[in-house]
Amino acid sequence: MKYGPPTEPKVEPVRVPRPGRPWTLDDLMKVSEEENRYELVRGDLLMMTPATPVHGRFAGRLSHALMSHLEEHDLGEVYVSEPGFLLQPEPDAIVRAPDVAFVRKERIPPRDQQAGFWPIAPDLAVEIISPSEGAAEIQAKVQDYLKAGVRLVWLVYPEIRSVIEYRSGGQVRQLEGDACLDGGDVLPGFSYRLTSLFK
């Protein structure tokens, strides 16, 4: 079954050229303060334009719902603003930056080890999908997450009011209408209706 919006022109991500040698983690750190967003995938530096307000709206709604749940249940922390997670070390480093991430409290690094990109996979990774993102790149990102140990991935498609959910173990389902996002054993007790997300 094919998931996602209808086929349309795709322009992102842009691979930043670098003649002579691949990009490294040190290089990524140097450009991380720029206005563009970057990810590092096996020597390729991928550039995404800053998120639009519409993109931020859905990331904000979902992160607020997650944070409200965590105020009542001390399960861990929610991270926003495209935090970078080191999913695979060098020499073929992979740093992915989900729009929203959740990490269970027992997996959060100690304070003295929190600088830079954390060498862990978040328990939950959320991507707000824009029309400019290609299906192949989206699937590559999902596979990087799952291979690294992410237990739950939500791909949010605002234009078609749909969410594609991936769980570790190979379960995939498409959520629409008045369906609920369910945290399952990753975020016990969390439930959030798509009608609230896409209102």
Side-chain angles (χ1 to χ4, degrees):
M1 182 174 184
K2 183 177 180 181
Y3 296 111
T7 302
E8 50 188 281
K10 307 297 181 185
V11 298
E12 294 186 351
V14 174
R15 282 174 168 75
V16 180
R18 170 162 234 179
R21 70 178 180 85
W23 293 88
T24 66
L25 281 172
D26 285 343
D27 297 326
L28 179 61
M29 289 297 296
K30 290 174 183 175
V31 301
S32 62
E33 298 302 317
E34 297 181 9
E35 67 173 6
N36 290 308
R37 299 178 293 138
Y38 294 95
E39 292 181 325
L40 179 66
V41 181
R42 303 177 186 90
D44 285 336
L45 188 66
L46 308 182
M47 180 178 70
M48 303 289 287
T49 57
T52 67
V54 171
H55 187 111
R57 174 193 305 155
F58 296 103
R61 284 179 183 169
L62 191 47
S63 62
H64 176 74
L66 290 166
M67 289 177 185
S68 295
H69 181 72
L70 293 175
E71 285 180 2
E72 300 179 26
H73 310 276
D74 185 22
L75 300 173
E77 293 285 348
V78 174
Y79 301 90
V80 295
S81 302
E82 294 90 26
F85 291 91
L86 179 60
L87 304 182
Q88 179 173 299
E90 291 187 309
D92 294 319
I94 298 176
V95 176
R96 292 294 192 179
D99 293 298
V100 181
F102 164 73
V103 179
R104 292 185 64 87
K105 65 179 182 179
E106 64 268 19
R107 299 185 61 244
I108 297 173
R111 288 185 181 274
D112 62 351
Q113 299 176 28
Q114 293 186 2
F117 305 116
W118 293 1
I120 63 171
D123 294 278
L124 165 68
V126 180
E127 295 285 350
I128 313 298
I129 306 301
S130 71
S132 62
E133 293 181 77
E137 292 291 350
I138 294 168
Q139 286 303 309
K141 184 176 291 192
V142 169
Q143 293 308 309
D144 285 342
Y145 284 139
L146 296 175
K147 185 178 178 180
V150 176
R151 299 166 60 199
L152 182 60
V153 179
W154 289 331
L155 302 182
V156 178
Y157 290 87
E159 290 203 341
I160 59 173
R161 295 172 172 263
S162 178
V163 176
I164 310 300
E165 177 187 87
Y166 296 81
R167 290 184 181 268
S168 57
Q171 304 98 319
V172 184
R173 63 177 182 154
Q174 184 163 5
L175 305 174
E176 299 176 318
D178 63 352
C180 288
L181 293 171
D182 184 347
D185 59 354
V186 178
L187 271 160
F190 179 78
S191 180
Y192 187 53
R193 287 199 175 274
L194 297 194
T195 49
S196 296
L197 177 61
F198 295 126
K199 63 184 178 182

